[in-house]
Amino acid sequence: LHVFFLTSRHTQHKIAIETLQELNTLYKGKLHVVDMIGKKFMCARPEAVTMHSSEFPTYCKKLRDDDGCEHYLNTRKSGKATKSAEQAVEQLITIGPMHSETNVAYAKQQRLCPYEVAVLQAKLCNVVVADYNYMFNPAIRDSFLKKTSKELEQCIVIVDEAHNLPERVRHLLSSSISNSMIRRGMREAEEWLKLKQDDDSELLRQLMALEKALEAVAAGLNQNGQKLVAREEFLNELRKEADVDVLISDLEFVGDDVLEQKKVSYLHMLSKFLTAWRGQDEGFARIAAVKQGLKGMVLQLSYKCLDSSLVITEVVERAHSIICMSGTLNPAAMYRDVLGFRQDAIIKEYPNPFPAHNKLSLIVPDVTTKFTARSAEQYKKIAQHCAAITNAVPGNSIIFFPSYDIRDKVRELFYPQSRKTVFLESRKMGKKEKFEMLERFKEYKEHGAVLLAVSSANFAEGIDLPDLLKCVVVVGLPLQVPDLETKELIQYYDKKFGKGWDYGYVMPA
């Protein structure tokens, strides 16, 4: 059998690989392990990092088909591994479990494709450490299993921090467009037509029709700037001035061509959205909304997945066995239902191994992050409490806020009161940046430092700080914004399980 150890974040791979290294020492090299991250992040070409994740596969495929990637050609010829690639794989397997960064660096040095080398490795490995996508994105899963000659029925799937899985899969199956995306698509189409010396304006006319249809269905938004939209309501508006099938085909054709030159294509994104929009209604919500963008208000139309079991159930049913684990998989029965397990799934709960008397838990009841109670006075009080606690703790502390917005409002008031060095998590940190920040944070073990982080972001889980972290402050529960999507999720779980409020709102937070 083959073991897939799946995580939701790159930072969680570190503990898995280190554990496997110890196991391999214990079992004298019987474990052959490969650490896989997203294909885009393993790419040896410098432009890959700037690309949108949804666009990279098309760009990569086109490059391979046209023999335009030296690294790929050095790794595979006519689909088969080259001698250089086979030697690299043999060398990496001999060394034993290692982090993906080491794998990538080695392949780059050999002028090979890091991803394809890792795939060749995976073919010979009995343990694969990877992101959720490798098992729960059907297209990626089927392709990876085929390439590595593995069958899902022969796989033991271990899902780490599995409380993240429902939201991650819902996000994977969701799609959206905006009027700003359509306008960027228009500029892209104009540039493409100019480049091809083509004065046919049909594509531009159809893009205008798309924007007009978006504006039409967004009319009459509620006071929160949102409304539900029926599938046919939007398609009928679009059909008034455009042929939907022709539009999707044209957007895909031009978008693929643009991807070769620019590495990103808004036309391609629009094509994928329109294809997704024609999908099923059950387990999905279609929402029009107006949101604040960087340059003013933006109209958005979304096709939101409400039911992650639509994808997960297939893995649960087909895999040899599946283990979902987390320190916060509570209540376990809820996750059994939401993830699409049968009622007879085995539920186990284990006692916390750490001595209870080693931990002091305090509740500060005179502040709140409740939406209706947020104010400058409230933020001032929160900052005072946070500073008083972290100043008193002899060592490192992390403060977790429910959102970046609240964190940033409190931090300005926290800075002058804190007597310690303050670290600040940012929204778009890469794996390298996260690792470097953690290493700097660890250096303050003796003097003490404070990391201001967010509950559902980079440092809330999957990191290990033994003897390096003395205090955690949780500022309010990370409850979802009570918007239309959240209300639809509550209503859907009410209909399916009779527990909408608990399953869709309270328990996840």
Side-chain angles (χ1 to χ4, degrees):
L1 299 174
H2 317 287
V3 175
F4 276 75
F5 186 92
L6 307 176
T7 75
S8 62
R9 294 193 175 92
H10 290 173
T11 47
Q12 291 159 269
H13 290 219
K14 186 172 184 289
I15 302 168
I17 293 297
E18 286 170 0
T19 305
L20 286 160
Q21 285 168 344
E22 291 187 32
L23 283 168
N24 222 26
T25 302
L26 190 64
Y27 292 101
K28 297 179 172 55
K30 288 182 182 177
L31 292 176
H32 298 309
V33 181
V34 65
D35 181 11
M36 305 287 302
I37 56 175
K39 190 175 184 180
K40 168 189 149 179
F41 300 103
M42 297 182 83
C43 184
R45 298 177 70 90
E47 66 267 27
V49 73
T50 64
M51 297 181 69
H52 193 280
S53 294
S54 65
E55 300 300 312
F56 178 77
T58 309
Y59 162 73
C60 177
K61 184 179 184 303
K62 185 70 176 165
L63 211 58
R64 295 196 315 270
D65 291 347
D66 295 345
D67 290 339
C69 180
E70 175 207 356
H71 294 86
Y72 181 80
L73 290 172
N74 289 341
T75 312
R76 287 189 186 271
K77 287 272 170 65
S78 304
K80 293 183 178 179
T82 61
K83 194 70 180 168
S84 301
E86 287 176 348
Q87 288 171 350
V89 169
E90 192 178 328
Q91 177 73 11
L92 290 166
I93 294 268
T94 305
I95 295 169
M98 64 179 73
H99 299 290
S100 59
E101 292 95 335
T102 311
N103 262 14
V104 169
Y106 179 83
K108 279 184 181 178
Q109 189 183 13
Q110 304 295 315
R111 307 297 295 170
L112 299 169
C113 170
Y115 173 77
E116 291 297 339
V117 167
V119 168
L120 290 168
Q121 234 182 303
K123 201 169 183 176
L124 305 174
C125 286
N126 45 23
V127 181
V128 178
V129 178
D131 181 83
Y132 288 169
N133 280 348
Y134 278 84
M135 194 53 68
F136 296 107
N137 182 322
I140 292 174
R141 177 186 68 233
D142 295 345
S143 170
F144 186 74
L145 290 176
K146 186 180 177 183
K147 279 185 171 184
T148 56
S149 304
K150 299 184 191 308
E151 293 180 3
L152 187 52
E153 288 74 13
Q154 297 298 309
C155 293
I156 298 169
V157 181
I158 304 172
V159 184
D160 193 23
E161 305 291 10
H163 60 274
N164 288 312
L165 192 55
E167 188 178 353
R168 260 294 287 276
V169 172
R170 287 203 309 270
H171 179 72
L172 179 71
L173 297 179
S174 298
S175 185
S176 66
I177 58 166
S178 65
N179 55 352
S180 61
M181 188 189 290
I182 295 170
R183 285 167 198 160
R184 288 191 186 108
M186 286 178 185
R187 287 196 292 273
E188 192 177 291
E190 285 170 350
E191 288 172 12
W192 184 83
L193 289 166
K194 191 175 178 182
L195 187 70
K196 300 292 179 183
Q197 297 182 331
D198 187 341
D199 58 1
D200 183 1
S201 59
E202 180 60 18
L203 180 58
L204 288 172
R205 190 191 66 74
Q206 293 206 80
L207 283 167
M208 287 178 202
L210 180 60
E211 185 175 23
K212 200 171 173 183
L214 172 57
E215 288 169 353
V217 296
L221 299 175
N222 66 20
Q223 58 182 3
N224 295 319
Q226 295 185 311
K227 69 175 268 199
L228 292 174
V229 178
R231 175 175 52 182
E232 289 305 310
E233 181 186 354
F234 174 64
L235 291 176
N236 286 338
E237 287 292 342
L238 187 53
R239 287 185 189 116
K240 286 178 182 178
E241 296 185 34
D243 182 313
V244 180
D245 289 322
V246 171
L247 176 56
I248 291 172
S249 178
D250 288 351
L251 289 172
E252 188 175 3
F253 175 78
V254 179
D256 284 353
D257 201 34
V258 169
L259 274 175
E260 282 188 70
Q261 314 300 326
K262 292 203 165 185
K263 326 307 179 212
V264 65
S265 169
Y266 294 101
L267 297 174
H268 198 271
M269 292 179 197
L270 293 170
S271 165
K272 289 183 83 171
F273 171 80
L274 290 173
T275 302
W277 181 265
R278 299 201 290 188
Q280 68 188 63
D281 285 329
E282 184 64 26
F284 287 84
R286 302 169 195 270
I287 299 168
V290 61
K291 297 189 175 184
Q292 181 64 48
L294 293 172
K295 296 179 181 178
M297 303 310 286
V298 175
L299 277 181
Q300 190 175 62
L301 186 64
S302 302
Y303 180 58
K304 294 280 191 180
C305 177
L306 305 173
D307 191 348
S308 56
S309 72
L310 295 171
V311 162
I312 298 169
T313 300
E314 185 184 359
V315 180
V316 172
E317 295 297 332
R318 286 182 57 202
H320 176 277
S321 49
I322 179 167
I323 301 167
C324 290
M325 63 180 191
S326 166
T328 51
L329 206 61
N330 192 32
M334 177 190 86
Y335 286 95
R336 176 198 62 201
D337 293 346
V338 170
L339 294 171
F341 281 81
R342 293 196 300 262
Q343 290 299 301
D344 62 352
I346 298 165
I347 293 176
K348 292 273 188 184
E349 191 171 337
Y350 301 92
N352 189 323
F354 301 103
H357 63 264
N358 282 5
K359 182 175 71 174
L360 173 65
S361 299
L362 302 171
I363 295 173
V364 181
D366 67 331
V367 288
T368 180
T369 56
K370 190 177 177 183
F371 189 77
T372 52
R374 292 177 192 175
S375 65
E377 187 58 35
Q378 199 67 246
Y379 297 137
K380 183 180 174 184
K381 274 188 180 181
I382 292 171
Q384 286 170 345
H385 282 304
C386 289
I389 293 164
T390 55
N391 285 339
V393 170
N396 287 345
S397 302
I398 300 183
I399 305 174
F400 288 108
F401 294 86
S403 68
Y404 284 103
D405 182 55
I406 294 176
R407 194 273 308 267
D408 293 340
K409 285 187 167 76
V410 171
R411 73 179 165 118
E412 297 303 326
L413 303 162
F414 174 80
Y415 280 155
Q417 301 178 69
S418 177
R419 296 199 295 270
K420 295 185 174 177
T421 300
V422 179
F423 288 78
L424 199 66
E425 172 195 335
S426 67
R427 287 175 192 265
K428 294 182 179 179
M429 299 182 85
K431 187 177 179 181
K432 187 169 179 280
E433 292 169 297
K434 293 174 199 173
F435 177 76
E436 287 172 353
M437 179 176 278
L438 274 181
E439 291 304 305
R440 291 201 310 276
F441 184 63
K442 289 175 184 178
E443 290 170 7
Y444 284 82
K445 176 185 173 182
E446 302 301 327
H447 306 289
V450 184
L451 171 58
L452 304 185
V454 173
S455 293
S456 55
N458 297 299
F459 299 109
E461 60 201 359
I463 61 169
D464 212 12
L465 298 168
D467 201 34
L468 295 164
L469 184 66
K470 299 297 179 188
C471 170
V472 171
V473 181
V474 180
V475 179
L477 289 172
L479 290 159
Q480 291 292 325
V481 177
D483 57 15
L484 200 49
E485 183 184 355
T486 303
K487 288 172 183 172
E488 285 295 300
L489 187 64
I490 291 168
Q491 193 173 316
Y492 180 78
Y493 282 149
D494 236 358
K495 180 182 166 187
K496 190 170 182 180
F497 303 113
K499 298 177 180 178
W501 184 253
D502 286 345
Y503 282 19
Y505 192 64
V506 178
M507 294 307 180

